[in-house]
Amino acid sequence: MTTQTAQAAQAAKDERPLLSVQDLKIRIQMENGVMHAVDGVDFEIKKGKTLGLVGESGCGKSLTSRAIIGINPKECETTGTIGYDSADAADSELNLLSLDPKGKRIRSIRGRKIAMIFQEPMTAFSPMYTIGNQIMEAIRTHRTKNKKEAKKIALEMLGKVGISDQEKRFDQYPHEFSGGMRQRAMISMALSCNPELLIADEPTTALDVTIQAQVLELMQSLQREFGMAILLVTHDLGIIAEMCDEVAVMYLGKIVEQAPVKELFYNPKHPYTKGLLKSMPRLGGEKSVRLDSIEGSVPMPIDMPPMCGFYERCKDRIEGVCNVNAVPKTDISDQHTVRCFLYTDRPEGESP
């Protein structure tokens, strides 16, 4: 192979997404029917980039993120494809859903190449072991069996996330840490093995505004240092605007709109996206003006007929169309897609 051919091949590999989720569906059998918790989700995350997954509580964001590393409850029946293209040739072009969730292969990827910051920092650590012990466990599982070397790495990571007096903090228990410090310790554990992809599920939950800003700045700094990609799961559009390169808006188990972050904020298309943006407080706004709200509530996705899930709450709904047909995905541009009959008149699956 010539040098030019090798460089072209490497360039093509670098352009491939690190993670590619296609037609992801998660079904849960309930007493009164089948819940379509995640219903045909598609997205990609490129190397070194940040994708924001945003939506109301219960829309399927956390189930989607946990499906990537195979830690959803056994009640979840999951289908689709989750393609993972690691820099390591041994783990390139994998379908993560084809792996045994308890097998050695996925366990060698989970925590080492794909790490996760869980939603609740107050319960993510075991109260029975010290913070240092739990960070060391991840390091000794994936990087080195040597205790002294593992402790050295753990102390360095605690320092990187801004925890002072690391030697003392290393031997303390989770209850001796504040919420913000516990969140930092969780980030240090997630990054201790230099992952290629970090999944951050509501990483600033229960933190005050000052600590939120510090945690987000820390994640951006460590992303630049390690070159990792981030899947940021949140319902906070302010965090999305600050952190993300691209945004996927999720509603009732489907991605209803996806676009680069600036495009989504300045040119939203889906009525749900517009409603979310109008509900955000703005600096300089008049105090007497009430924020907009989206009327109604999210329906339960149990044995729903083919229709737009946002139909009952949408001010722009089209009677006899939105409530009787599944909504196809429409390309607004090369990077902007939306699921809404305002931009197409074809039911899903019907030929153009």
Side-chain angles (χ1 to χ4, degrees):
M1 183 182 290
T2 66
T3 303
Q4 285 186 329
T5 304
Q7 289 176 341
Q10 184 60 44
K13 180 175 174 59
D14 291 341
E15 284 297 312
R16 293 205 301 261
L18 177 66
L19 190 82
S20 178
V21 177
Q22 297 177 353
D23 197 28
L24 179 67
K25 296 180 180 179
I26 300 177
R27 305 281 186 263
I28 303 173
Q29 182 65 53
M30 310 292 285
E31 290 184 1
N32 54 340
V34 178
M35 176 183 286
H36 297 243
V38 177
D39 195 12
V41 161
D42 302 292
F43 62 80
E44 293 181 346
I45 306 177
K46 296 180 180 178
K47 298 175 176 68
K49 299 295 183 180
T50 301
L51 172 70
L53 192 58
V54 65
E56 294 175 73
S57 297
C59 70
K61 305 187 303 295
S62 292
L63 285 175
T64 298
S65 63
R66 288 166 181 258
I68 294 170
I69 52 176
I71 60 171
N72 276 328
K74 61 181 180 180
E75 293 81 10
C76 295
E77 180 188 338
T78 307
T79 60
T81 303
I82 300 179
Y84 177 60
D85 193 22
S86 172
D88 185 347
D91 290 324
S92 65
E93 301 185 45
L94 281 177
N95 176 14
L96 297 180
L97 280 186
S98 69
L99 304 181
D100 179 357
K102 295 183 180 180
K104 289 184 178 180
R105 191 76 180 276
I106 189 65
R107 292 178 68 183
S108 71
I109 294 171
R110 184 193 299 145
R112 181 168 70 96
K113 295 182 178 180
I114 304 177
M116 187 164 186
I117 301 172
F118 292 95
Q119 186 168 352
E120 183 47 73
M122 309 306 255
T123 58
F125 285 106
S126 168
M128 302 296 292
Y129 300 95
T130 64
I131 291 289
N133 181 288
Q134 294 180 68
I135 297 174
M136 274 184 62
E137 181 181 10
I139 296 169
R140 295 189 68 199
T141 299
H142 296 298
R143 289 187 64 176
T144 177
K145 299 295 183 183
N146 187 289
K147 283 188 177 181
K148 288 185 178 180
E149 188 177 348
K151 183 174 181 178
K152 181 182 177 182
I153 294 170
L155 291 171
E156 286 176 356
M157 289 307 304
L158 287 173
K160 280 185 180 294
V161 299
I163 294 179
S164 58
D165 201 0
Q166 298 97 299
E167 289 279 357
K168 177 183 175 182
R169 294 296 187 183
F170 184 89
D171 293 320
Q172 290 183 331
Y173 288 85
H175 72 270
E176 298 178 89
F177 278 52
S178 67
M181 288 181 61
R182 219 174 303 190
Q183 189 70 287
R184 289 170 180 269
M186 198 191 312
I187 293 172
S188 73
M189 182 164 65
L191 300 182
S192 61
C193 296
N194 299 338
E196 295 176 328
L197 172 64
L198 175 67
I199 302 172
D201 188 0
E202 301 281 5
T204 56
T205 296
L207 301 180
D208 62 57
V209 176
T210 303
I211 300 299
Q212 273 191 25
Q214 291 176 357
V215 168
L216 295 176
E217 185 179 345
L218 170 64
M219 287 175 60
Q220 287 178 315
S221 173
L222 294 172
Q223 181 182 32
R224 289 191 294 269
E225 181 177 347
F226 294 110
M228 64 186 175
I230 297 178
L231 173 60
L232 179 61
V233 180
T234 183
H235 61 270
D236 190 328
L237 285 169
I239 292 175
I240 290 289
E242 182 178 346
M243 291 284 295
C244 298
D245 300 294
E246 193 172 358
V247 192
V249 180
M250 201 165 180
Y251 184 81
L252 207 66
K254 292 180 180 289
I255 290 179
V256 296
E257 186 165 6
Q258 186 168 355
V261 64
K262 288 185 179 180
E263 172 75 10
L264 188 98
F265 274 77
Y266 290 107
N267 187 28
K269 295 298 183 184
H270 199 281
Y272 177 61
T273 308
K274 293 177 182 179
L276 289 179
L277 292 171
K278 287 179 180 178
S279 68
M280 289 178 63
R282 285 172 170 77
L283 289 174
E286 296 182 22
K287 293 182 180 179
S288 59
V289 177
R290 292 177 62 87
L291 293 174
D292 284 358
S293 61
I294 302 174
E295 296 180 0
S297 57
V298 182
M300 284 291 289
I302 296 179
D303 294 333
M304 286 189 65
M307 62 180 292
C308 174
F310 194 60
Y311 168 78
E312 295 289 348
R313 308 175 72 186
C314 183
K315 297 177 182 178
D316 300 318
R317 61 184 177 231
I318 306 171
E319 300 290 343
V321 177
C322 300
N323 57 332
V324 297
N325 297 306
V327 190
K329 184 165 63 175
T330 301
D331 293 330
I332 302 298
S333 68
D334 290 343
Q335 297 179 299
H336 193 167
T337 62
V338 65
R339 284 184 180 272
C340 183
F341 278 117
L342 295 175
Y343 308 96
T344 181
D345 56 3
R346 297 190 308 275
E348 189 170 23
E350 189 174 289
S351 300

